[in-house]
Amino acid sequence: MLAHDLINPHGYIFPTLLSLTAIITDVAPLWLAQPIIAIVGAVPPVIAVLLVWRLASPYARTDAILLAALAAGLTLALEGLYLRRTVTVSYEVLGILFVALVAIAAHRFCRTRRPAWGVATIAMLVVLPITHHLSTFMAALTVTSVVALAVARDGRRALTPGLLILASFWLYVLGYYALTRPPYSGDVAAKPGLFVAWMVIMAVGALWLANSSARSTRLTIGGVFVSGFAILGANAIWELFPATAATPFQLLVYMAPLTVLAALAVWGLPLGTGLTGDRAIVLALLVAPLAWTGFAITAGADPVYSLFARRGQTFVHLATVVCAGIAICALARRVNPSRKRVVTVGLPLLLCVCALVSLPLAFAGLEALAYQGTTTSEEFSSATFATETLEDTWTSDDHITRVARNYYRTDASPQPAYDWLHSGGNFQCPTVMQASWQTVGAQQYPSSPIPLEPAVYQETIQTQHTVYVTTGSDPVTIVVPTGERSC
């Protein structure tokens, strides 16, 4: 079972869910974690299917809507940039789901004022701060957008329930996080004026998008999407964010097909967003992550804010695939009847193919990103062995030490490994090494990986004590110094 004192105060819900499931099924939590994450991660694509189905009815026949809705759901489930976050065993996967559900429930409550929707909204908002802190801020921004749209639409009728939820939640979040101080909360608190400014831009922008012409909406959000891809490409050349890795070419290859998704989403945006009905939900789910990403980009060229931007963009994918699905239906209605089948069948297939091409990004290692999102059984076993036999007196790259910290709360640091890899000096600290250090390098997130010369790698294994070796595609070796140890 999971020890209570090892659970962070901003991450109770997922370990609790895991523990309860383990009690019911009599299966160890470690074996349940990935299946539970898979089930939770599958719900947002289902929500995407339902939103496209409800919103596209004025634009196409049932068969065309069905294909477009399924394409939207499959795209969200398969596209690599989104899947990289939702396939990982992380509190964030549950947080992503809660943000979508909160947007739906808050919209329904503001529109109907039914107590049931109010209870559902409040229940989810209460558990969000103890689920995942970034998702909590995203939910707060999303609810702010929902309330702003509801007040603009319904006036005083929506003002009271909206402000009641909004004020209570913001006070709760700020108060709870002031006491528990989750990671990176101080970086948000360090720029309160900028954060509030982006909240105002978000609310005003949502209202403007809901009432502007289709052309203006497409140009505005299209410009935002183009800027995002341009920053990614420029970072491959000029390294725009100091102390962080440049964009690898392989990442650009994986990202290129997603331009098709972005183009379709931009076209469908005026049809999928607005003041009324489910369109308001989609609009809120769109502008909230864009505002968060805007805050991160303008907050400064710092690794933390770069992380905010990368993590924040995950939340915009749901609204994006919904708008893309609606665009397919609308385009099918505009074309010549003789070509309608090409659009109603061809575009959903194209969208799914683009998602499949980007799929490897979800499982890519350091050849495409500065952070390895998946852990092999050999890596986990090595981290377990090192923790149990060497306790805290060992080192490795940021990946294996992070695994050990997350699962065993070890104090093993990657810094001794960094120092040795950079300087090539005396080998003095027991080290968990991987064969891939000779090719893609050792993870040094958020900076670029550190490569190790093959000759140095082989010499270290041959001249020091090798106490643990694995097989597999990327063998792991634990090497202990023959001389004096110093970590």
Side-chain angles (χ1 to χ4, degrees):
M1 298 303 295
L2 299 174
H4 180 272
D5 58 351
L6 296 184
I7 301 175
N8 293 321
H10 57 274
Y12 280 115
I13 298 302
F14 180 67
T16 301
L17 174 64
L18 201 56
S19 298
L20 289 175
T21 308
I23 293 172
I24 295 170
T25 61
D26 196 27
V27 177
L30 187 61
W31 295 100
L32 289 171
Q34 193 67 65
I36 290 176
I37 285 295
I39 294 170
V40 173
V43 180
V46 174
I47 294 174
V49 170
L50 295 175
L51 285 172
V52 173
W53 182 267
R54 291 170 61 90
L55 289 169
S57 56
Y59 308 112
R61 297 181 307 178
T62 301
D63 56 343
I65 296 173
L66 179 61
L67 286 174
L70 290 175
L74 286 173
T75 298
L76 187 62
L78 296 176
E79 60 111 331
L81 191 59
Y82 178 81
L83 186 61
R84 186 172 181 85
R85 293 306 314 162
T86 55
V87 78
T88 305
V89 177
S90 168
Y91 306 152
E92 186 175 13
V93 181
L94 197 56
I96 291 170
L97 172 59
F98 277 156
V99 170
L101 294 178
V102 161
I104 295 170
H107 167 75
R108 298 286 184 183
F109 180 55
C110 289
R111 186 171 64 85
T112 65
R113 290 187 293 180
R114 290 180 57 186
W117 285 113
V119 170
T121 303
I122 292 170
M124 286 185 285
L125 292 179
V126 166
V127 301
L128 259 166
I130 55 177
T131 300
H132 185 251
H133 49 292
L134 172 58
S135 302
T136 300
F137 284 113
M138 197 64 67
L141 292 173
T142 303
V143 172
T144 302
S145 300
V146 168
V147 171
L149 293 168
V151 171
R153 180 184 63 245
D154 301 327
R156 291 185 179 180
R157 184 171 177 269
L159 185 62
T160 301
L163 288 182
L164 177 65
I165 289 178
L166 201 57
S168 301
F169 186 54
W170 273 110
L171 288 174
Y172 169 44
V173 170
L174 296 177
Y176 185 73
Y177 284 167
L179 293 173
T180 60
R181 297 191 179 280
Y184 309 119
S185 59
D187 298 285
V188 179
K191 299 182 182 292
L194 182 64
F195 188 79
V196 172
W198 273 102
M199 283 184 62
V200 173
I201 292 172
M202 176 191 69
V204 174
L207 295 175
W208 181 81
L209 289 171
N211 294 285
S212 63
S213 67
R215 179 184 177 84
S216 299
T217 301
R218 287 169 180 147
L219 286 174
T220 301
I221 301 301
V224 172
F225 285 176
V226 168
S227 298
F229 283 105
I231 290 173
L232 187 69
N235 191 52
I237 303 172
W238 293 295
E239 297 190 21
L240 302 180
F241 301 96
T244 63
T247 305
F249 174 76
Q250 193 163 343
L251 176 59
L252 296 177
V253 172
Y254 290 141
M255 290 290 294
L258 298 183
T259 56
V260 175
L261 169 61
L264 283 172
V266 168
W267 178 263
L269 193 69
L271 310 175
T273 60
L275 275 178
T276 59
D278 294 337
R279 298 170 70 203
I281 298 172
V282 178
L283 182 54
L285 290 171
L286 174 77
V287 297
L290 290 182
W292 175 268
T293 306
F295 163 75
I297 292 173
T298 55
D302 184 274
V304 171
Y305 296 118
S306 174
L307 172 67
F308 282 0
R310 292 195 300 273
R311 298 285 286 273
Q313 60 79 30
T314 305
F315 293 82
V316 82
H317 289 239
L318 175 56
T320 302
V321 298
V322 170
C323 291
I326 297 170
I328 292 173
C329 296
L331 288 170
R333 190 179 66 171
R334 293 169 61 96
V335 299
N336 189 290
S338 61
R339 299 179 180 178
K340 184 167 293 188
R341 187 170 182 80
V342 175
V343 175
T344 56
V345 178
L347 282 182
L349 284 175
L350 175 63
L351 198 57
C352 291
V353 168
C354 290
L356 281 172
V357 173
S358 73
L359 178 63
L361 178 58
F363 308 99
L366 301 182
E367 71 279 0
L369 293 163
Y371 180 83
Q372 186 173 333
T374 55
T375 303
T376 65
S377 58
E378 292 83 7
E379 290 167 345
F380 188 83
S381 299
S382 302
T384 302
F385 180 86
T387 302
E388 291 176 347
T389 58
L390 301 171
E391 297 180 345
D392 294 334
T393 56
W394 62 278
T395 186
S396 186
D397 66 355
D398 177 61
H399 175 60
I400 291 182
T401 55
R402 187 187 297 263
V403 171
R405 285 197 306 272
N406 287 342
Y407 281 91
Y408 301 114
R409 291 301 190 265
T410 179
D411 290 329
S413 168
Q415 194 57 51
Y418 294 165
D419 295 339
W420 176 64
L421 289 166
H422 280 298
S423 66
N426 293 331
F427 183 81
Q428 294 182 318
C429 184
T431 302
V432 182
M433 303 193 305
Q434 287 189 267
S436 59
W437 287 13
Q438 305 168 86
T439 52
V440 296
Q443 179 171 304
Q444 188 189 202
Y445 182 79
S447 300
S448 297
I450 314 170
L452 178 63
E453 291 292 334
V456 177
Y457 178 85
Q458 294 297 333
E459 180 185 358
T460 303
I461 292 176
Q462 293 170 4
T463 60
Q464 307 297 327
H465 293 308
T466 300
V467 298
Y468 185 92
V469 179
T470 71
T471 56
S473 59
D474 188 7
V476 182
T477 305
I478 300 180
V479 182
V480 176
T482 55
E484 182 180 354
R485 299 185 189 181
S486 175
C487 291

